[in-house]
Amino acid sequence: MKMAKYSLKRLILMFFTLFVIVTICFFLIRMLPRELPTDKVQAQAIAARWEALGYNEPLLVQYGIYLKNIVTQWDFGTSWYIQTRQPAWELLTSRLLPTVLVNLYSLVFAIPLGLALGIYAAIKKNKWQDSLISTMVMVFVSVPSYVYAFLVQYFLFFKLDLIPLQVYSLADAGGSWFTAKMFHSMLGPVIALSFGEIASLCRFTRAELTETLTSDYMLLARTKGLTRAQATSRHAMKNAMVPILPMIISSFVGILGGSMIIEQIFGVPGVGRLYIQSINLLDYDVFMVDCVFYTFVSLLAGIVVDLSYGFIDPRIRMGE
């Protein structure tokens, strides 16, 4: 019962936070000047459509119309510049799959490697292996992902010619996002996104497992006759995974957020690249639907992580 009340409370706070952020974004973007296309016929058609949609009304009236359309018709507006007169929601969903695939591939690659390095560093604590891994982690965490993107392009494309410079289009990849040729073209952004995830997971795993290995119950397990490997696998890993697994869950939930800069560099036709296009072209409704999407995914990830603690460890009860 308390768990249900806690979940309901978090959901209410999530939607309230979403409303506040969406409101701020709406007023900020609508205060920017609108520009009509140079083509007179298209400009007149767009101006007439804007008038019908209430774009020339006061900002509070515009916001009321915007919220009403979302609640009653699930209408997030229309794209006027990126893809003329295509509904903003349809434009977002059409760009969702590339973002999910690139980020999912990077997590599938990063999670096993990050866990393995973190476990190895914890077992070899204060030895040269631990120092080497910790130094590498510090470097990888400190460097932005777009720097890795340029390094990947330089070495793997220009020097070694192992991957293409940018992600292939559907036509070039055989008409599907799931072909081997498309996967090969996605290796660049996947590798660039993996470095930071590997470093973060390795550092977190090492910290948690190091603390667990020095606890009293591990000493008791060793005195009962268990070898170091048996005590680590049976007891230490099980307890260390309690805070680590929610971190992995949040990564899986947060993959929809993607990486705007990486998508722009590698030409991934995903949600992140769409976001940057909407800002550059002042495509108001596309910008707003992207804001709603990114904000909702981020807030939902936080709730899922908090609730996952209670499911992973029965001793933890959220809301108690």
Side-chain angles (χ1 to χ4, degrees):
M1 185 62 182
K2 291 183 178 180
M3 189 74 163
K5 288 177 63 177
Y6 176 80
S7 302
L8 181 60
K9 179 182 176 181
R10 287 298 305 272
L11 285 173
I12 293 173
L13 289 174
M14 183 192 77
F15 282 108
F16 175 75
T17 306
L18 178 65
F19 172 77
V20 172
I21 295 175
V22 168
T23 302
I24 294 173
C25 290
F26 182 89
F27 282 99
L28 288 177
I29 192 67
R30 288 297 177 100
M31 284 190 294
L32 295 176
R34 291 195 298 266
E35 295 182 3
L36 290 170
T38 54
D39 183 83
K40 291 185 178 180
V41 176
Q42 186 181 11
Q44 289 176 356
I46 291 178
R49 183 61 178 162
W50 282 355
E51 181 69 30
L53 291 174
Y55 280 27
N56 298 326
E57 300 289 339
L59 284 177
L60 285 175
V61 177
Q62 292 183 39
Y63 189 51
I65 295 172
Y66 182 75
L67 292 180
K68 177 185 175 184
N69 290 339
I70 293 176
V71 174
T72 59
Q73 306 174 31
W74 196 250
D75 180 11
F76 286 86
T78 306
S79 172
W80 301 106
Y81 299 104
I82 298 174
Q83 289 191 16
T84 307
R85 297 197 178 186
Q86 182 173 356
W89 178 255
E90 292 182 7
L91 187 58
L92 173 73
T93 53
S94 67
R95 303 286 188 95
L96 201 54
L97 184 57
T99 294
V100 172
L101 287 179
V102 167
N103 287 272
L104 184 60
Y105 290 152
S106 67
L107 287 177
V108 169
F109 174 72
I111 288 173
L113 193 55
L115 286 175
L117 288 174
I119 294 170
Y120 184 71
I123 293 174
K124 298 292 184 179
K125 181 184 177 182
N126 295 331
K127 297 183 179 179
W128 69 267
Q129 296 97 329
D130 178 33
S131 300
L132 177 62
I133 293 174
S134 298
T135 303
M136 292 174 61
V137 164
M138 184 167 49
V139 172
F140 288 152
V141 168
S142 304
V143 177
S145 60
Y146 60 83
V147 175
Y148 296 126
F150 293 129
L151 291 175
V152 166
Q153 287 183 333
Y154 179 74
F155 286 106
L156 298 185
F157 172 72
F158 289 106
K159 290 295 185 181
L160 302 176
D161 196 24
L162 295 177
I163 62 172
L165 181 62
Q166 293 194 322
V167 173
Y168 292 139
S169 64
L170 279 176
D172 294 332
S176 174
W177 290 105
F178 300 97
T179 61
K181 190 174 182 181
M182 179 62 79
F183 177 76
H184 177 246
S185 72
M186 286 184 175
L187 286 178
V190 167
I191 294 172
L193 285 171
S194 297
F195 283 111
E197 192 68 34
I198 291 171
S200 299
L201 191 56
C202 175
R203 180 175 61 176
F204 196 70
T205 303
R206 180 197 176 278
E208 292 297 329
L209 189 57
T210 299
E211 183 179 351
T212 305
L213 288 173
T214 56
S215 58
D216 293 338
Y217 69 85
M218 283 296 294
L219 179 61
L220 178 61
R222 293 297 302 278
T223 57
K224 287 184 176 181
L226 294 180
T227 64
R228 181 179 176 83
Q230 289 174 331
T232 301
S233 59
R234 295 182 187 179
H235 300 286
M237 285 300 301
K238 187 180 295 184
N239 286 278
M241 282 296 120
V242 173
I244 294 173
L245 284 178
M247 180 181 177
I248 297 175
I249 293 172
S250 69
S251 297
F252 275 110
V253 176
I255 60 175
L256 297 179
S259 174
M260 292 180 284
I261 305 300
I262 294 296
E263 289 185 10
Q264 188 74 11
I265 293 173
F266 287 96
V268 180
V271 178
R273 191 180 181 190
L274 179 68
Y275 200 23
I276 293 179
Q277 287 178 323
S278 67
I279 296 172
N280 291 334
L281 298 175
L282 292 181
D283 207 333
Y284 293 164
D285 293 335
V286 178
F287 171 81
M288 283 304 304
V289 75
D290 270 325
C291 282
V292 173
F293 171 77
Y294 277 117
T295 305
F296 180 78
V297 168
S298 301
L299 294 173
L300 183 63
I303 293 178
V304 171
V305 169
D306 287 347
L307 296 180
S308 66
Y309 283 104
F311 291 104
I312 293 171
D313 190 345
R315 296 171 298 178
I316 300 175
R317 284 291 176 266
M318 307 304 295
E320 291 288 348

